[in-house]
Amino acid sequence: MAAAAVDSATTELDVLVVGAGFAGLYLLHRLRKDGFAVRAVESAPEVGGTWYWNRYPGARCDVESVDYSYSWDEQLQQEWDWKEKYPAQGDILAYLKHVADRFDLRKDIDFETTVTAATWDGQSCRWTARTSDGREYVAQFLLMAVGCLSVPKEIDLPGVDAFGGQVLRTWGWPEGTDLAGRRVCVVGTGSTGAQVIPALAEEVEHLTVVQRTPNFVIPTRNRPLREGELEAIKADYVARRERNRNHPAGVFRADNPKNAMEVDEAERQATFQERWEGGGINFLGAFADLMFDQAANDAICDFVRAKIDEIVDDPKVAELLKPNSYPLGAKRPVVATDYYETFNRPNVELVDVRQNPIESFTPAGLRLADGEQHEFDTLVLATGFDAFTGAFTKMDIRGRDGLRLRDVWREHGPRTSLGLASAGFPNMLMVANAGSPSVLANMVTAIEQHVDWIAELLDYMRVRNLRSIEADEQAQEKWVAHVEEVANSTLWPNGDSGSWYRGANVDGKPQIFMPYAGGVVEYGKALEHSAANDYEGFVLA
Ligand code: FAD
Ligand code: N01
């Protein structure tokens, strides 16, 4: 079915997809193939989502390239040649541009088009979405492929407007920025900070790193793919993808089945050392109980703290770089190259603002509470995201009886049935966001799992002439409680991590654990159970 233009400013569709990152592109492809009139809108002038917006120096993925890619087309996975073990931002963007061209997706995407509002009409069972450029899209389904980490957190630095130099955000980093010879200050030492800091340190004259909470940073150990390696992976690709789908993290990892506290100290240290040398997020697979047993977690934390002492020359700097207030893993694990080593460079200075907070920015830099001043020409903000809900609450979404999603979610947090739909907002489905494994898994696996389930649901509804689907309120309350309960059975919510997993990085945001910590396998069972029972957890009409 083709999209129909009602008048020049209104487009009638079966499905409107918001976003053209990994999720939006696959939705568009799959639903178009299934015969729906579908169109996507995207704020950016290009496809790619995360990988379009985050072009800062050092940006890279920490899932292996061969796994952080679509599995739904055998030809595609055979023809695309990844260069490195972990792909750089530019390589992922090139891949997604290739996907858009190869499957002719661009003709059905309106770029530089931002949905600002959407209203549900219960009579016609359709959404009307309005965009920043005054267009309207009327569609039965509104599919939110808006990303978990697509809206940067509001700047909350005291007196930042007083700063007279250049201010850059890592999100939306201007292409071609040259900071050679400049004095730069980076605020933020999360995953983004840990990537941009070593990259900038090589380029700039002087780098001031403002750290509030230190992170556990695991070495990436990236490398070019070896001769024959890619060919061997491609020969086994179908089975490899299946292994990925059958691991809770959405990517196969040779996890050690042993518990850390059941082996002796020598074996424990040797295992940590082996994983540390191997690099990457596999470090967390060193023992089975790392996210469940405080003593096990303490052991891995001690190991990393000892590594910091080993790597960092200045013992005072090493001390400041050591996290002490939360379990390793409670914040999203940070994987980066030469992070701790960077603090041995003569042009890099660490400023700890936990004990001595920023009092104010000044025209030439910043001043700390004790009067200490730091001067720089460029301020780089790696301060994170209004995660999960940010992209939703930015829009004025009005559901059944005029219910405003912004009001409900700002008060109670994102409440969903199975992370797919929220009561009061019929036919609005979310992809790989709050209430589903999303960021606790290889997100491409999580996205494919969601898109396939949604495509089957839409087909089921079409065949039976059903016009709407909505989260069942009771099922929703049960699911939200279950998500919280699963998180509480782990160490994820522990400590003073300020983690965006539970909204703690944004002032005033309700704190509930947002991603589903049960993993893609358990989650897949819940999805299957729902579909097999006429979409239990949802009301179809
Ligand atoms: P996104 O890629 O965020 O795309 C959403 C799109 O929706 C955006 O382009 C946005 O412009 C658009 N949009 C939002 N609101 C609107 C609106 N109102 N109107 C129009 N368009 C809108 N995940 C991993 O699994 N492994 C990693 O190593 C990893 N690294 C990451 C590194 C960075 C720097 C960041 C920020 C995230 C990383 N992630 C990683 C998470 C990453 O976001 C996902 O893996 C994945 O790219 C998400 O795809 P998506 O399509 O769901 O969302
Ligand atoms: O954001 P963050 P991010 N004053 O929220 C600091 C993915 N990702 O963009 O912890 C001073 O983690 C804040 O300090 P504190 C990944 O999922 C993946 O780095 O609040 N400091 C923190 O240090 C990741 O988790 C990759 O005390 C302030 C930092 O800013 C997610 O994106 C790469 C401050 C924000 O860290 C988000 O990562 C990049 C203030 N007012 C991103 N406000 C991979 O490699 C904030 N901070 C996989």
Side-chain angles (χ1 to χ4, degrees), residues 158-172:
V160 72
D161 292 341
F163 179 60
Q166 179 187 29
V167 180
L168 298 173
R169 297 202 79 138
T170 47
W171 182 91

Side-chain angles (χ1 to χ4, degrees), residues 19 21-23 42-43 49-51 53 61-62 68 113 115 145-147 443:
F22 268 101
E42 167 57 61
S43 299
T50 291
W51 304 104
W53 292 111
C61 175
D62 68 6
Y68 192 77
T113 304
V115 172
V146 292
M443 274 209 72

Side-chain angles (χ1 to χ4, degrees), residues 323-346:
N324 281 303
S325 59
Y326 59 91
L328 189 154
K331 269 178 182 290
R332 167 54 156 94
V334 175
V335 178
T337 299
D338 289 342
Y339 181 68
Y340 294 123
E341 288 81 351
T342 295
F343 293 92
N344 293 334
R345 295 178 65 108

Side-chain angles (χ1 to χ4, degrees), residues 47-195:
V47 299
T50 291
W51 304 104
Y52 169 80
W53 292 111
N54 293 274
R55 292 180 300 262
Y56 57 84
R60 189 176 290 284
C61 175
D62 68 6
V63 176
E64 290 188 37
S65 51
V66 292
D67 300 312
Y68 192 77
S69 48
Y70 292 125
S71 73
W72 43 262
D73 190 277
E74 172 62 3
Q75 197 61 39
L76 172 67
Q77 63 186 12
Q78 290 299 332
E79 76 195 12
W80 186 260
D81 290 337
W82 294 103
K83 295 188 279 220
E84 293 178 281
K85 184 170 182 186
Y86 298 103
Q89 167 270 334
D91 290 336
I92 306 173
L93 184 57
Y95 168 77
L96 288 172
K97 285 181 178 179
H98 168 75
V99 171
D101 293 334
R102 192 186 182 291
F103 296 95
D104 200 13
L105 298 177
R106 290 176 194 278
K107 67 172 194 238
D108 290 317
I109 306 173
D110 292 327
F111 291 106
E112 294 181 274
T113 304
T114 299
V115 172
T116 51
T119 309
W120 170 250
D121 175 4
Q123 287 287 312
S124 62
C125 282
R126 297 180 96 70
W127 283 95
T128 299
R130 288 177 196 82
T131 64
S132 46
D133 56 1
R135 276 185 273 175
E136 275 189 1
Y137 296 80
V138 177
Q140 185 183 0
F141 294 98
L142 183 62
L143 301 189
M144 296 300 201
V146 292
C148 300
L149 295 160
S150 55
V151 175
K153 188 180 98 146
E154 270 180 34
I155 301 174
D156 56 358
L157 296 162
V160 72
D161 292 341
F163 179 60
Q166 179 187 29
V167 180
L168 298 173
R169 297 202 79 138
T170 47
W171 182 91
W173 186 266
E175 236 163 329
T177 306
D178 181 8
L179 296 177
R182 293 181 75 87
R183 295 168 309 155
V184 176
C185 170
V186 175
V187 179
T189 54
S191 295
T192 301
Q195 289 185 329

